[in-house]
Amino acid sequence: MQPLPIHLPSISRWLIACMAMVVLMVLIGGVTRLTESGLSIVEWKPITGILPPLSKDAWQREFTEYQSSPEFIHKNAHFTVEDFKGIFWLEYIHRVAGRITGLVFLLPWIYFATKRMLPAPLLKRMAIAGILVAAQGTVGWIMVASGLENQPRVAPIKLGIHLTLAFSIFAYVYWTWLQIHGQPRHSSHRGAAIAARALLFLTAIQIFLGALVAGLDAGLIYNTYPLMDGKLVPNGIALLEPWWLNHLEHVPMVQFQHRMAAVVLVIATFAFMYYAYPRMHIMERERLKNLMWVLLLQFALGIYTLISVVNIWLASLHQLNALLLIAVLVRIIYALPLKK
């Protein structure tokens, strides 16, 4: 798709605001998960849920609803109303931020469309982005609901879809921002262009695997690196039947594959840099260096998050830096169009 023939500061600021809200949602969502606050609100109330409990009776009603959840029954039966408030607020903020994100995407779109300030390609692209945001909210509730049925944890696969979709929305809007600014796209070697896209795919897989680790609390064991329980491959890595469940739900396997995928990603990135550097336009080569530093920082943050037994701040930085890694990769890919 050719760059859109538009460069309006107000539209640019809108897209930046959309990206900022996605980043904020990823940050709040990650902290909510790390503090085990995500199952504190057991109903999805898109309209009425905007208001928190405002009285003692309202707090008691909210707490009574929570008492019927698996998390209270199996983990937090000792909680009082005051204890409940400690986990309620983060999930409440997360949900309110999600509503605000939807409005940030929707309301300016309506305004710009009404004023006919958006060319048809941009109107369509941002309509799709808005639909993806709505889908993200729906997936978020489906994910939470999975932790309200039998066991007090969300389904790791649904968490993976939820996080990967958030990253996809960010990348999609960032690509659109690059288009409206008419950022340069240089003639490129087809092999380098394909390799860059393959690298983004590997990164997306690693992000999904990281979500599985988070969903299973797999980072709370084997807190050494590079060995796991003194071995490169720990015992009992594949005990579930059928075999494929190990890759999605077995804690040792999930952590092991996230570790190994990180190593593969680093090797693949350096191989890509070695291959692409002489084939890229001189203006784009600096971004390969940025990619290297961001990736190495991500690798280091992952290790320190693990050996710290998932320190909240380190884990949050690890997740945010993954967004930065995606942004660097998208910028590189944007500059490397596939030849027809």
Side-chain angles (χ1 to χ4, degrees), residues 242-260:
W243 64 268
W244 54 265
L245 275 179
N246 291 285
H247 297 282
L248 300 173
E249 298 184 3
H250 191 43
V251 171
M253 175 63 85
V254 166
Q255 190 191 122
F256 174 77
Q257 64 193 12
H258 189 50
R259 287 177 178 231
M260 293 299 102

Side-chain angles (χ1 to χ4, degrees), residues 82-252:
E82 293 303 314
D83 296 321
F84 170 69
K85 290 179 182 179
I87 62 172
F88 173 89
W89 283 114
L90 259 178
E91 175 62 8
Y92 170 76
I93 292 170
H94 186 206
R95 295 194 184 195
V96 171
R99 292 174 173 87
I100 294 173
T101 299
L103 293 176
V104 168
F105 274 79
L106 177 63
L107 296 183
W109 185 89
I110 294 174
Y111 174 80
F112 290 133
T114 302
K115 297 293 183 179
R116 297 186 177 180
M117 295 172 64
L118 296 176
L122 182 56
L123 188 70
K124 180 180 178 180
R125 284 186 67 85
M126 291 309 293
I128 293 172
I131 292 171
L132 290 175
V133 170
Q136 174 73 349
T138 302
V139 171
W141 171 247
I142 292 172
M143 176 192 72
V144 170
S146 70
L148 300 175
E149 297 172 355
N150 300 307
Q151 297 298 320
R153 67 173 177 85
V154 299
I157 297 176
K158 293 175 182 178
L159 176 60
I161 295 172
H162 188 55
L163 183 65
T164 305
L165 183 54
F167 276 65
S168 300
I169 294 169
F170 175 83
Y172 186 82
V173 177
Y174 181 45
W175 185 281
T176 305
W177 184 88
L178 292 171
Q179 284 187 318
I180 72 166
H181 280 265
Q183 294 296 309
R185 308 188 74 183
H186 305 288
S187 297
S188 63
H189 189 276
R190 182 175 176 81
I194 293 174
R197 286 157 175 79
L199 193 60
L200 179 62
F201 180 70
L202 283 176
T203 304
I205 291 175
Q206 176 66 335
I207 288 168
F208 181 81
L209 294 177
L212 295 183
V213 171
L216 290 168
D217 289 325
L220 300 179
I221 63 171
Y222 302 113
N223 301 106
T224 57
Y225 193 88
L227 301 180
M228 301 174 67
D229 197 22
K231 301 176 181 178
L232 183 61
V233 181
N235 294 328
I237 198 172
L239 300 177
L240 302 184
E241 293 291 344
W243 64 268
W244 54 265
L245 275 179
N246 291 285
H247 297 282
L248 300 173
E249 298 184 3
H250 191 43
V251 171

Side-chain angles (χ1 to χ4, degrees), residues 203-314:
T203 304
I205 291 175
Q206 176 66 335
I207 288 168
F208 181 81
L209 294 177
L212 295 183
V213 171
L216 290 168
D217 289 325
L220 300 179
I221 63 171
Y222 302 113
N223 301 106
T224 57
Y225 193 88
L227 301 180
M228 301 174 67
D229 197 22
K231 301 176 181 178
L232 183 61
V233 181
N235 294 328
I237 198 172
L239 300 177
L240 302 184
E241 293 291 344
W243 64 268
W244 54 265
L245 275 179
N246 291 285
H247 297 282
L248 300 173
E249 298 184 3
H250 191 43
V251 171
M253 175 63 85
V254 166
Q255 190 191 122
F256 174 77
Q257 64 193 12
H258 189 50
R259 287 177 178 231
M260 293 299 102
V263 174
V264 170
L265 184 58
V266 169
I267 294 172
T269 299
F270 277 87
F272 166 70
M273 292 175 63
Y274 178 80
Y275 176 78
Y277 190 86
R279 294 169 173 83
M280 288 181 68
H281 191 279
I282 191 170
M283 291 179 60
E284 304 298 337
R285 292 176 180 175
E286 192 64 30
R287 292 192 175 88
L288 288 181
K289 298 177 184 177
N290 295 337
L291 175 63
M292 176 188 71
W293 291 117
V294 173
L295 179 68
L296 290 177
L297 176 59
Q298 183 69 359
F299 192 78
L301 284 170
I303 293 173
Y304 281 107
T305 298
L306 178 68
I307 64 179
S308 72
V309 196
V310 193
N311 174 274
I312 290 177
W313 296 109
L314 285 173

